[in-house]
């Protein structure tokens, strides 16, 4: 790990003036930098069309950071900007020269990390231009493979718009990079409360005998968001709720709850266990998936006035395997609802009240619902929770933002919390089945701020 910290690092962000950098990445970079978790010689290079210059990009970064706290002058000094067009090979050549100049003045070759924080339609062009400018090859003439600085790409989701496109992108990536250089992000996997699902399941064997169709009645996975599409209308309108969070985050939530115990906790074992269970997921043909759009969505900036894009969906899937046969897994997500809540509820058979809930946010933790006898002369039962919340833990081990983990793991080369191609292929297959099944039903509408259960 020290070697990672010692080698200079250049991080290029495509889409640096976009929403993701502003709301997540700038904060995550600064947090890692100020805790000494980035190499001291780190260079954060924003690449974009806007004529910002280094000072403009630092001002943009500072104004993003100020939303959560002060910015550090030391960190801002590490940020710089290259103006360029994502479609221009010449601009990528200039980027290459800029990076080489930085290496030359530091007197050593840096590791290179390319972060694609742009919508999927730009991916293919960027991959081609990175390769065309010779940026896929680490600059280390004469060094042996083990000593050579690395080059990695971080790709945001959704990866493609369907399975065929994802496979096409993957083929292209495969020609330019080795799989060990490609980090496909699903930032939900990097959330602390998500990682705790596996720890909880496999480090507490007392639950193992219960973790199957004999004892579990249903599993409900929800991603409810209070926020609407905001400034992301142009991106979101081509995607919709199912592809935005269902295809990736929610199916990964399902994978962690439903998968078999991996052979080990290394990246290959964990990724193949997730892929295996996703391969067994099929949609429940008895329940037509539901989709709806919040009133006023079509007037959001960037959204088509006749848009049919869903901002809410509900679907039920099942797994045809010995552990889960017959157990419905319900998925529900929406924007512009009355409250934000992300959780997985595992409801046990028998009496109401017996449920285990993995609370992913806002209050990360675990709740175990049980029945107790109310004090008094009768035998009436009431439901209560035994609960654990990270927020109640003594200070010292903060729950980090998922993007800190994404960046840190990519820099240290750990792919466990990144998705593999077989997982993506299965995720798109399930998504395509849901989309074709909901063609049978019209798009419903719901008022802003609705309670999820009232969206019908
Ligand atoms: C992103 C989606 O992947 O996840 C957004 O594109 C969504 O639409 C977001 O709001 C939710 O992430 P988080 O970490 O805020 O729950």
């Amino acid at each position: 790990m020290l070697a990672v910290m010692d080698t200079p690092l250049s991080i290029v962000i495509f889409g640096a003036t976009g929403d993701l950098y502003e709301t997540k990445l700038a904060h995550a970079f600064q947090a890692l930098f100020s805790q000494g978790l980035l190499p001291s010689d780190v260079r954060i290079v924003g690449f974009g069309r806007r004529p910002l210059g280094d000072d403009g990009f630092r001002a943009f970064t500072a104004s993003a950071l100020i939303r959560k706290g002060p910015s550090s002058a030391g960190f801002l000094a590490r940020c710089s900007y290259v103006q360029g067009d994502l479609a221009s090979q010449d601009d990528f050549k200039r980027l290459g020269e800029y990076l080489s100049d930085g290496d030359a003045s530091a007197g050593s070759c840096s590791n290179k990390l390319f972060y694609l924080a742009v919508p999927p339609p730009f991916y293919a062009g960027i991959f081609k231009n990175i390769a065309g400018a010779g940026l896929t090859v680490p600059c280390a003439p004469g060094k042996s493979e083990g000593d050579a600085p690395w080059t990695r790409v971080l790709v945001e989701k959704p990866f493609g718009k369907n399975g065929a496109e994802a496979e096409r992108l993957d083929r292209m990536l495969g020609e330019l990079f080795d799989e060990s250089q490609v980090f496909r992000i699903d930032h939900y996997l990097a959330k602390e409360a998500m990682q705790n699902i596996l720890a909880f399941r496999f480090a507490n064997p007392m639950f193992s005998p219960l973790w199957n169709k004999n004892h579990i009645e249903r599993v409900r996975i929800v991603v409810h968001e209070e926020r609407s599409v905001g400034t992301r209308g142009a991106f979101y309108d081509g995607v919709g709720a199912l592809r935005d969070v269902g295809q990736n985050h929610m199916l990964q939530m399902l994978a962690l709850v439903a998968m078999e115990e991996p052979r080990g906790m290394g990246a290959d074992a964990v990724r193949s266990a997730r892929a295996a269970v996703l391969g067994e997921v099929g949609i429940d043909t008895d329940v037509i998936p539901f989709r709806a759009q919040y009133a006023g969505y079509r007037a959001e900036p960037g959204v088509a006035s006749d848009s049919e894009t869903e901002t809410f969906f509900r679907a039920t899937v099942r797994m045809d395997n010995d552990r889960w046969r017959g157990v419905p897994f319900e998925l529900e997500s929406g924007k512009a609802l009355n409250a934000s809540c992300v959780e997985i509820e595992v409801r046990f058979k028998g009496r109401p009240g017996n449920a285990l809930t993995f609370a992913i946010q806002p209050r990360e933790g675990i709740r175990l619902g049980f029945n107790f006898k109310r004090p008094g002369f009768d035998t009436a039962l009431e439901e209560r929770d035994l609960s654990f919340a990270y927020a109640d833990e003594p200070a010292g081990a903060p729950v980090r933002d998922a993007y800190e983990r994404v960046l840190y793991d990519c820099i240290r080369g750990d792919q466990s919390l990144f998705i593999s191609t077989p997982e993506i292929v299965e995720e798109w297959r399930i998504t395509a089945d849901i989309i074709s099944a909901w063609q049978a039903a019209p798009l419903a509408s719901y008022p802003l701020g609705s309670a999820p259960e009232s969206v019908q």
Side-chain angles (χ1 to χ4, degrees):
M1 190 150 87
L2 272 179
V4 169
M5 297 307 149
D6 289 344
T7 309
L9 172 63
S10 305
I11 303 175
V12 179
I13 303 155
F14 301 111
T17 53
D19 180 77
L20 186 70
Y21 180 78
E22 207 174 356
T23 57
K24 304 272 191 186
L25 299 182
H27 299 275
F29 280 128
Q30 176 169 274
L32 292 175
F33 180 79
S34 48
Q35 292 161 52
L37 296 172
L38 291 180
S40 49
D41 185 359
V42 62
R43 299 160 223 161
I44 296 176
V45 183
F47 181 93
R49 241 191 344 209
R50 281 161 61 177
L52 287 182
D54 291 347
D55 288 345
F57 183 56
R58 285 180 192 135
F60 177 77
T61 303
S63 74
L65 292 169
I66 211 79
R67 298 170 182 198
K68 289 195 191 157
S71 53
S72 122
F75 171 70
L76 290 177
R78 310 305 310 172
C79 299
S80 61
Y81 191 75
V82 172
Q83 190 189 348
D85 188 334
L86 293 175
S88 159
Q89 179 75 86
D90 286 346
D91 290 352
F92 276 69
K93 291 226 164 84
R94 275 197 306 107
L95 171 67
E97 283 154 22
Y98 179 83
L99 297 175
S100 314
D101 290 350
D103 286 355
S105 47
S108 80
C109 196
S110 58
N111 289 323
K112 308 279 185 314
L113 195 163
F114 297 101
Y115 195 127
L116 276 68
V118 293
F122 292 102
Y123 292 175
I126 295 177
F127 295 151
K128 274 193 200 129
N129 284 338
I130 290 179
L135 291 171
T136 47
V137 190
C139 53
K143 291 221 177 181
S144 68
E145 208 172 296
D147 290 340
W150 46 253
T151 297
R152 294 183 182 142
V153 281
L154 263 169
V155 190
E156 266 297 337
K157 43 109 314 223
F159 192 74
K161 211 185 163 188
N162 53 43
E165 204 187 299
E167 282 177 308
R168 192 172 56 79
L169 282 174
D170 246 348
R171 267 197 305 280
M172 177 183 282
L173 269 176
E175 284 162 19
L176 307 174
F177 297 96
D178 184 76
E179 177 62 18
S180 62
Q181 295 177 280
V182 182
F183 290 72
R184 301 175 195 80
I185 300 174
D186 184 322
H187 79 282
Y188 264 55
L189 283 175
K191 286 182 188 275
E192 197 65 58
M194 287 278 282
Q195 293 164 55
N196 195 39
I197 297 173
L198 292 193
F200 182 88
R201 284 189 55 202
F202 302 127
N204 297 297
M206 65 187 179
F207 288 100
S208 312
L210 304 178
W211 216 254
N212 56 54
K213 60 182 189 289
N214 299 329
H215 298 281
I216 292 178
E217 186 169 285
R218 65 174 173 81
V219 177
R220 190 170 145 72
I221 297 174
V222 304
V223 174
H224 293 151
E225 294 187 282
E226 216 175 324
R227 63 190 150 190
S228 52
V229 294
T231 54
R232 297 169 69 229
F235 158 77
Y236 190 88
D237 204 35
V239 175
L242 177 63
R243 290 188 182 92
D244 185 40
V245 297
Q247 181 266 350
N248 35 75
H249 307 328
M250 297 175 79
L251 288 176
Q252 288 294 340
M253 290 163 87
L254 177 149
L256 296 182
V257 170
M259 72 195 229
E260 297 300 318
E261 184 163 3
R263 292 185 322 281
M265 282 298 159
D268 287 350
V270 174
R271 281 155 51 120
S272 29
R274 292 197 307 248
V277 76
L278 288 168
E280 283 163 342
V281 174
I283 69 163
D284 184 335
T285 43
D286 293 339
V287 190
I288 295 179
F290 172 83
R291 68 201 156 115
Q293 186 185 76
Y294 64 81
Y297 171 76
R298 291 175 185 173
E300 299 277 21
V303 171
S305 56
D306 57 352
S307 171
E308 287 282 302
T309 299
E310 83 287 355
T311 59
F312 183 105
F313 79 92
R314 192 180 285 133
T316 302
V317 298
R318 293 177 188 269
M319 269 149 282
D320 188 20
N321 60 24
D322 287 347
R323 186 186 289 280
W324 295 115
R325 192 162 296 117
V327 181
F329 280 66
E330 299 159 4
L331 311 174
E332 182 180 277
S333 177
K335 286 206 186 279
L337 297 172
N338 63 347
S340 293
C341 172
V342 178
E343 64 183 30
I344 306 170
E345 185 198 62
V346 178
R347 190 156 282 281
F348 293 94
K349 288 185 170 165
R351 283 192 165 279
N354 285 175
L356 182 74
T357 303
F358 296 103
I360 310 299
Q361 56 200 44
R363 195 174 149 75
E364 296 102 330
I366 292 186
R367 299 192 301 275
L368 180 64
F370 65 99
N371 297 300
F372 84 111
K373 189 190 104 47
R374 211 167 50 195
F377 294 116
D378 59 18
T379 53
L381 297 175
E382 271 187 41
E383 295 175 15
R384 285 289 184 280
D385 279 347
L386 283 170
S387 65
F388 153 78
Y390 284 94
D392 297 336
E393 288 297 284
V399 174
R400 292 180 182 280
D401 183 80
Y403 276 94
E404 292 177 38
R405 183 69 194 249
V406 163
L407 295 165
Y408 188 70
D409 278 2
C410 176
I411 293 167
R412 65 175 169 170
D414 182 343
Q415 290 183 313
S416 323
L417 302 180
F418 295 86
I419 30 181
S420 59
T421 299
E423 292 168 84
I424 292 187
V425 169
E426 296 303 345
E427 290 177 347
W428 279 124
R429 175 188 57 76
I430 303 161
T431 304
D433 286 350
I434 296 175
I435 292 173
S436 59
W438 76 26
Q439 304 303 336
L443 177 75
S445 171
Y446 61 100
L448 279 168
S450 293
E453 57 281 7
S454 71
V455 181
Q456 298 292 342

